[in-house]
Amino acid sequence: MAIYREKDFSERRNAADEARKALLERFKAKPAADDPAVLAKRAERKAILEARALREAEKLKQKQERLAREAAEKAASEAAEEAARLEAEIQAAADAKIREAEENERIARLLADEAERKAKRDARYAARKSRSGRAPPGFSAR
């Protein structure tokens, strides 16, 4: 059975020193800026960045084309809607004129019927008064 043993200060300090040394060795092992591998890697990154810039430019161009196409379609649909709305307004105005003319005709018929009934009523009244022999004041039967 293993017994847990706590590390003392010197062991911890030695471990930290070794870690620092390993870090320093890794830093020293890095190639110089003029190393062919570093130059190749830098060229590869540059090519990737250029390709990315080209792709982004193409995406931007496609987006602008799509937005222009959508704007043109929207303008066309709005023009069609406006034309349909104007046509509907013209049709509604024509229908309103027809309804107004029909209403005026109906009112004229009602007034004519009312005048005809009044004339018949007055004629009956005048005939009745003329049979009785006396006319009301201000009324002359002809």
Side-chain angles (χ1 to χ4, degrees), residues 63-84:
K63 183 178 179 179
Q64 289 173 346
E65 289 173 354
R66 179 179 52 85
L67 290 175
R69 186 174 54 252
E70 288 175 357
E73 290 172 358
K74 184 178 179 181
S77 67
E78 287 177 357
E81 289 173 2
E82 182 68 18

Side-chain angles (χ1 to χ4, degrees), residues 31 33 55 124:
R55 284 193 311 268
R124 283 194 311 268

Side-chain angles (χ1 to χ4, degrees), residues 102-113:
E102 289 173 350
E103 183 67 17
N104 288 341
E105 183 180 327
R106 186 183 68 80
I107 290 171
R109 260 195 333 268
L110 286 174
L111 291 175
D113 289 347

Side-chain angles (χ1 to χ4, degrees), residues 107-138:
I107 290 171
R109 260 195 333 268
L110 286 174
L111 291 175
D113 289 347
E114 185 67 29
E116 185 180 339
R117 281 196 300 272
K118 184 175 184 319
K120 285 182 182 178
R121 186 178 64 236
D122 288 347
R124 283 194 311 268
Y125 182 70
R128 189 173 60 235
K129 290 299 179 180
S130 66
R131 281 194 303 263
S132 69
R134 111 173 167 61

